[in-house]
Amino acid sequence: MSRNVQRLGKLWLSLKRTSLSSSVGRPLLGHRAVPSIPLPALSQGIHFSCNQFSQNQDSQTSSKSQSQDEKRIKLFIDPEVQTLLKELTGRDLKRIFRKRKIGQKLKEPKYTFMTEAQLQKAREEAEEKADKLLQMPPVLMPRKTIDEILSFDPCIQLDEVVPSTLIFTDISMNIKDRDRIIVARDPDGTLRQATWQERDKMNAIYFPTEGREFIPPKMFTQPLALQTVLDRASEEDNTYEFVLDRACLQFEPEDPLFINAAETTYETIDRAGHYDFLKSTRHYGPMVFYLVRMRKMDNILLHCIKHGRVTTDADRLVTLFQIIFPECKSKSAEKTINAVDKIKRYIQLDAIRKGELELALNAYVEEEERKAELEEGLRRQHAM
Amino acid sequence: MPLPSIGGGTFARAGGPCIKLFLHGHANRPFFHIVITSKFAPLGTHPVEQLGTYDPMPNTENQKLLSLNIERTRYWMGQGATFSNTAAQLLGKAGFLPIHPETYMKAWRNRYKVADDEEAKKAAEATAESGPSQPPSSSSP
């Protein structure tokens, strides 16, 4: 046998981590000269915590703008920002607890007699439930690709006649999906951590989540499909809420597909001006955060001013802008500043649609003055 | 009816626990459960516990899926469980165990055969080309 080996002289063995097909017929080394590649220790090799794929790692991005964007996205969990977003979302309990056609069985309404104390308790419970329903899906940086090689063993190339990748999943109980060990052995002998696509598929096979489709819906994989759905959005259908809820159900928040779906929805809402479709839902906060972060705040600001929500929503929007862009020009040193003055400062120094915003704000101020005069007049009349 | 994955089988007197591949599936469609059974138990016996699955037929993305409850497997290894040949080979490829020497042997033999076939084909082509013009030369160097 060894004589034959020497005679053939090309017992091909690819020492480069390439796919098997490209290594056929490439004589690199004789059989005996294959260097031994050290295998990882049995217990340490694959018992590897996947925590490094979480968002807590420092970014290694090269461009400055990307790291700035990352810093702004990290501001989402800032307590001030969270408070502002929650206040902007609103708490219309009628809308939060409305009947939704999501395939759940309808329950008959129960009517009971209650004392004042019981009623108060019931109200508190409803508020708590509303808080839960309004919990915002987190805004995170898109997850980085997994690119880790655990071991390379070219000597097992072609151990099966028709080579294929072997995906190994650890199905121990009580492990989170993102911590589960999922590795892949390629036909060329590489043992590597599975990619995010492979991980998602394996978690879906062995630990399916209810409501999460195995094959992602076309509206998330085909960009035209999503646009078609969003273009025929209507208030009765709650289209935007449906799309965003479905995305939350299907993907993890760091999944680039989720981020893409959410951002496309926010852009469509911005173009159509349908901001109030998402009011009192859990998606309003992330939407506002996205628009402010991308410097597209002016449309929604105009919308708020036109609807008279100056001292409330518009003021909060400008405050949010000043937190996310601390280098902005309109940040004033005075601690207490009138809402209207603050917005005026923003319009003069940082706004993009200056003209329309100024007109709207002036219209609002005049309207308020007229209302104040009218009230003063009525008050004097009644006093007399 | 004893349920394999939560226990229900028993160990035979001789043999001890062994982690094997248990064939399920249908005609022309094998599917394996990775189970812990008694070493010399007959093939169709109920296993003590199911530790995982293995699908030998590749899917649409040319992947073979192997799953293993590592926690429970390590427990049984601590209880002295051994691995069958195929199970050890499979788990060696997966990275849980060191690569089995038979994997290296199989791979070497397959590569040798492919190289041998290529050489034979090249020799045949050479003789075919030189056939019409010259008498066939000796193929051995």
Side-chain angles (χ1 to χ4, degrees):
Chain A
M1 188 67 137
S2 57
R3 237 187 333 123
N4 284 347
V5 168
Q6 281 157 26
R7 182 168 66 99
L8 285 173
K10 48 176 178 180
L11 195 66
W12 47 264
L13 200 68
S14 168
L15 284 185
K16 279 203 206 126
R17 290 191 314 99
T18 55
S19 68
L20 199 60
S21 52
S22 59
S23 66
V24 167
R26 226 198 283 163
L28 284 177
L29 280 182
H31 179 66
R32 283 198 207 115
V34 169
S36 64
I37 291 149
L39 290 168
L42 169 64
S43 53
Q44 281 150 28
I46 56 168
H47 285 266
F48 173 85
S49 165
C50 291
N51 285 331
Q52 74 161 291
F53 306 133
S54 71
Q55 293 300 308
N56 299 329
Q57 264 215 329
D58 295 292
S59 105
Q60 291 162 14
T61 49
S62 47
S63 61
K64 193 177 168 208
S65 60
Q66 253 184 314
S67 63
Q68 271 190 345
D69 208 30
E70 195 183 325
K71 259 190 268 175
R72 283 181 202 133
I73 287 176
K74 286 207 174 123
L75 277 173
F76 183 77
I77 50 174
D78 186 51
E80 270 191 68
V81 172
Q82 281 286 301
T83 325
L84 284 167
L85 292 174
K86 281 195 189 132
E87 286 171 0
L88 278 162
T89 307
R91 299 192 96 210
D92 184 8
L93 292 174
K94 272 215 178 80
R95 177 149 164 73
I96 296 171
F97 292 116
R98 75 189 181 289
K99 257 200 299 248
R100 297 181 61 191
K101 296 178 198 160
I102 46 178
Q104 288 176 347
K105 199 170 178 191
L106 288 176
K107 284 187 279 191
E108 283 176 358
K110 250 166 92 176
Y111 298 98
T112 51
F113 289 107
M114 285 186 175
T115 61
E116 276 291 333
Q118 282 173 331
L119 183 63
Q120 185 59 32
K121 188 157 177 282
R123 280 216 179 96
E124 279 166 19
E125 279 171 14
E127 294 282 334
E128 270 177 39
K129 200 170 171 207
D131 275 332
K132 274 211 187 112
L133 290 169
L134 289 179
Q135 189 184 22
M136 295 183 255
V139 176
L140 299 166
M141 288 291 285
R143 57 193 181 189
K144 301 186 199 96
T145 45
I146 301 173
D147 194 16
E148 201 203 325
I149 314 292
L150 298 169
S151 137
F152 174 52
D153 216 316
C155 298
I156 64 169
Q157 281 175 10
L158 215 61
D159 73 308
E160 344 172 283
V161 181
V162 182
S164 52
T165 316
L166 178 73
I167 312 264
F168 173 64
T169 317
D170 170 21
I171 50 171
S172 307
M173 305 299 277
N174 298 326
I175 299 181
K176 293 210 173 90
D177 276 358
R178 56 181 74 227
D179 294 335
R180 192 156 283 131
I181 295 169
I182 304 176
V183 298
R185 173 78 74 175
D186 286 327
D188 69 347
T190 319
L191 183 68
R192 56 172 174 83
Q193 294 282 355
T195 60
W196 281 116
Q197 289 80 23
E198 287 163 350
R199 289 192 69 87
D200 287 341
K201 277 268 153 13
M202 294 305 119
N203 281 320
I205 289 171
Y206 297 114
F207 297 93
T209 321
E210 203 191 319
R212 194 172 275 200
E213 312 272 342
F214 183 70
I215 299 166
K218 286 200 196 81
M219 71 155 90
F220 300 127
T221 48
Q222 295 170 10
L224 283 173
L226 182 61
Q227 209 49 58
T228 319
V229 171
L230 293 173
D231 284 340
R232 46 184 162 86
S234 70
E235 194 148 15
E236 308 90 53
D237 284 341
N238 283 313
T239 317
Y240 301 119
E241 203 184 349
F242 161 72
V243 168
L244 289 165
D245 278 342
R246 204 175 185 200
C248 284
L249 196 55
Q250 185 64 38
F251 303 113
E252 295 292 303
E254 320 126 313
D255 196 335
L257 286 170
F258 171 77
I259 294 171
N260 184 46
E263 293 189 350
T264 314
T265 314
Y266 304 148
E267 291 281 345
T268 314
I269 294 173
D270 191 38
R271 260 183 283 130
H274 291 159
Y275 309 104
D276 288 344
F277 283 33
L278 287 183
K279 264 271 183 183
S280 291
T281 64
R282 59 185 180 139
H283 303 292
Y284 193 80
M287 178 189 77
V288 166
F289 187 77
Y290 169 76
L291 292 173
V292 175
R293 188 170 61 88
M294 303 298 278
R295 293 288 225 128
K296 292 180 179 174
M297 198 181 95
D298 290 352
N299 292 334
I300 189 170
L301 188 63
L302 189 64
H303 180 86
C304 291
I305 298 174
K306 277 193 179 150
H307 283 69
R309 307 195 285 248
V310 171
T311 43
T312 51
D313 283 358
D315 182 29
R316 289 176 192 135
L317 277 170
V318 176
T319 322
L320 186 63
F321 173 79
Q322 288 171 356
I323 296 174
I324 295 176
F325 294 94
E327 69 276 9
C328 70
K329 296 177 216 141
S330 61
K331 208 165 187 189
S332 60
E334 312 141 27
K335 289 288 173 182
T336 51
I337 184 168
N338 186 14
V340 177
D341 291 332
K342 190 192 244 181
I343 300 167
K344 257 200 195 125
R345 248 185 95 88
Y346 166 79
I347 295 169
Q348 282 161 9
L349 297 169
D350 282 317
I352 301 166
R353 291 176 73 178
K354 286 200 177 64
E356 289 161 345
L357 281 166
E358 269 203 62
L359 281 172
L361 194 62
N362 291 338
Y364 168 79
V365 167
E366 279 174 23
E367 183 76 33
E368 289 294 299
E369 281 175 2
R370 234 184 305 129
K371 262 197 242 167
E373 272 181 35
L374 195 65
E375 265 194 55
E376 179 69 31
L378 279 170
R379 202 174 55 80
R380 254 189 265 126
Q381 284 245 321
H382 286 302
M384 291 203 316
Chain B
M1 183 92 161
L3 292 168
S5 62
I6 55 167
T10 49
F11 294 122
R13 211 162 21 128
C18 179
I19 298 169
K20 298 181 181 182
L21 261 47
F22 189 121
L23 176 64
H24 287 280
H26 303 285
N28 297 314
R29 209 290 180 229
F31 187 86
F32 294 96
H33 283 194
I34 300 172
V35 299
I36 179 122
T37 46
S38 181
K39 193 164 159 66
F40 300 119
L43 272 182
T45 323
H46 264 299
V48 171
E49 188 177 337
Q50 183 194 345
L51 300 172
T53 57
Y54 171 58
D55 186 358
M57 297 188 71
N59 62 12
T60 48
E61 293 173 42
N62 201 24
Q63 298 163 343
K64 291 188 179 171
L65 304 184
L66 168 65
S67 70
L68 189 74
N69 190 334
I70 289 182
E71 197 196 318
R72 289 301 292 164
T73 310
R74 291 180 82 183
Y75 164 77
W76 283 114
M77 285 167 81
Q79 299 289 308
T82 50
F83 289 88
S84 75
N85 199 358
T86 36
Q89 281 191 49
L90 206 55
L91 294 175
K93 275 186 73 174
F96 182 67
L97 298 173
I99 296 183
H100 201 276
E102 274 207 33
T103 315
Y104 289 124
M105 286 159 69
K106 257 200 296 182
W108 194 96
R109 285 168 188 166
N110 285 340
R111 290 199 304 271
Y112 186 88
K113 185 164 193 307
V114 169
D116 211 5
D117 289 345
E118 268 185 34
E119 203 142 295
K121 211 168 41 160
K122 284 230 167 82
E125 277 172 15
T127 45
E129 273 174 23
S130 58
S133 47
Q134 295 167 26
S137 56
S138 151
S139 54
S140 58

